[in-house]
Every structure is written in structure tokens, then in C-alpha cells.
Amino acid sequence: MSRIFITGSADGLGKAAAGTLLADGHEVVLHVRGRQRLDAVQDLVSRGARVVAGDLSDPGQAEDVAGQVNRLGRMDAVIHNAGVYTGRHILPVNVVAPYVLTALIARPDRLVYLSSGMHFDGRPQLDGLDWRGHGESASYSDSKLFVTALAMAVARLWPGVVSSAVDPGWVPTKMGGPNAPGDLRLGHLTQEWLAAGTDPRAGASGGYWHHQQRLDPHPAALDAAFQDELLRELERATGIALPEA
């Protein structure tokens, strides 16, 4: 049995992954944006899940979420699932929050970051970005390129941790819309497999995955110089350094 924390698990792929992992006998810690969202996860709480709350668009609340998670005990895996598609909170939620949580949550064995096939359209440019989200300065594609690079940086810098990025596909969730053509089950299967699976392939760090198949990400995501520049920008924006291995 593994203990797994999943951000953004009040609905969509996060909640679906949580339900499957609970059914498989794992201990799951859910995350909701605020206490007003607790009703959305009562079905999972009744099955034994625990919950932390905090708005990940606010770096201070992201820090508090990390503290709540740490008080529950060390996680075996963290799935960075929370994300937004539009608006000024794209960078705070999709990139800054995963960075803050990665830096502050007691280091797990496995880290899974939600990317997207749209990351291939992202721009590997870090100048002039508003990481705090006061204005909209990056696209969804940019944010997914950055979080993929973060996953690859962690894989390089923390050799004792299996760090992976996942493209779940375009699936029918609140974000994807009801007409999305993808298979919803396949949309969360890979995250579960990477977080708790016993397949040796799931234990290989530094992968970019789609439906349990390892693919090549955007070249910038694998560029150590770009990774290091991204980490410096995130440390400057948050005042939080990624701990050394």
C-alpha cells in the first residue's frame, strides 16, 4: 500500500485517479481549493481518503498545503494534477504551485506532473513572466512546457526520486469539455501506474508519458540550461529554493 497525495482532486482526472487508487487499497490524500469544496469529495472521504485545502493560485496557500500534507506523514507519491486552462492564474497554478509543493513536501519516492500534448506549442522563453498571476503573461501551452521541464529537472537533480510527466490526452472532464474525444479511463491510468505501479517501466525516472507509452517531450524540457534557468526564476519569484539531492 502506498500513501499518495493528489492535487486538484475535487473533480476530473484527479478525483478519478483517487477513486481508483482507493479501490486498489492505497491511502489517498485529496486536495480541494477551499473548505467549501469538501462536499465534492465526501464520497471518497467515506472510503477513507483524507483531505487538505488551499487555493494553489496563491503561493502562500500552496505553502500551507505543503505543511498540511507533511503533518499527515511522508507521502510515497505525489501527483501534481491541479491545473487551469485560461486566465491569469495559469502560471501560479500550473507551474508555481507544483514547484512550491515539490520544494516543501517531504520528498516522496515518486513525483508525477500533469503535462499536455499542447506543451509542444509552448515557448521556452522566461523573460517578463508574471509568476504571481497579477496579469496573464503566458499561455496554457507555455505553462505545460514549463512544468514538463520542472519534472525533467527534478529527475536530473534528485536521482533518488522517480519524476515523470504525463500527457493525459484530451478527455471529457470539466476542463476538456463534454465533447472531448479521448478515453477518460486512459486519461488517469498512467498517473496511477506511475504513482503506485510495480511495472519496472514505471520506475524509470525522467519520462514523458502518454497512455503508458514513453515519448520524447519538447527538446527544451530536456535542456539542462533551460531547466536551471526555470528553477532560478521560480526561486526568485517564490523565495523558495529547490532542496539539493
Side-chain angles (χ1 to χ4, degrees), residues 9-235:
S9 39
D11 54 28
L13 294 177
K15 186 173 184 180
T20 302
L21 290 165
L22 281 169
D24 289 343
H26 300 290
E27 183 179 343
V28 175
V29 177
L30 307 169
H31 160 256
V32 296
R33 188 171 60 251
R35 293 291 169 183
Q36 72 277 9
R37 294 285 283 155
L38 288 174
D39 286 348
V41 296
Q42 282 307 307
D43 55 330
L44 299 180
V45 171
S46 69
R47 294 166 55 191
R50 292 188 281 180
V51 190
V52 300
D55 186 344
L56 297 184
S57 69
D58 178 344
Q61 291 195 45
E63 291 184 45
D64 185 65
V65 167
Q68 293 176 58
V69 172
N70 287 334
R71 287 191 290 274
L72 294 175
R74 179 181 173 274
M75 300 296 125
D76 296 296
V78 175
I79 301 175
H80 292 283
N81 169 82
V84 297
Y85 186 67
T86 60
R88 62 187 179 88
H89 291 144
I90 282 175
L91 288 178
V93 174
N94 295 4
V95 187
V96 176
Y99 172 79
V100 168
L101 295 174
T102 298
L104 297 182
I105 290 176
R107 197 171 303 183
D109 298 320
R110 301 184 183 191
L111 286 162
V112 181
Y113 299 83
L114 264 288
S115 181
S116 166
M118 292 177 68
H119 92 279
F120 288 105
D121 296 322
R123 300 163 297 174
Q125 300 169 6
L126 300 173
D127 293 339
L129 295 178
D130 183 353
W131 298 105
R132 291 279 176 171
H134 299 300
E136 188 171 350
S137 60
S139 69
Y140 178 79
S141 296
D142 296 337
S143 75
K144 290 304 181 181
L145 172 58
F146 300 157
V147 81
T148 304
L150 173 62
M152 301 301 110
V154 172
R156 173 172 63 91
L157 296 171
W158 290 358
V161 174
V162 177
S163 177
S164 309
V166 177
D167 166 19
W170 182 15
V171 294
T173 61
K174 183 171 67 176
M175 180 184 291
N179 298 317
D183 184 316
L184 182 61
R185 175 69 188 108
L186 291 177
H188 54 96
L189 173 64
T190 303
Q191 294 90 287
E192 300 154 11
W193 177 71
L194 289 168
T198 58
D199 185 329
R201 293 186 301 145
S205 194
Y208 169 74
W209 298 88
H210 175 65
H211 296 354
Q212 295 180 293
Q213 298 299 313
R214 186 163 175 162
L215 306 174
D216 292 327
H218 190 301
L222 300 174
D223 183 339
F226 179 69
Q227 294 170 9
D228 289 343
E229 184 183 1
L230 174 64
L231 294 178
R232 286 193 296 271
E233 282 295 301
L234 289 168
E235 180 178 351

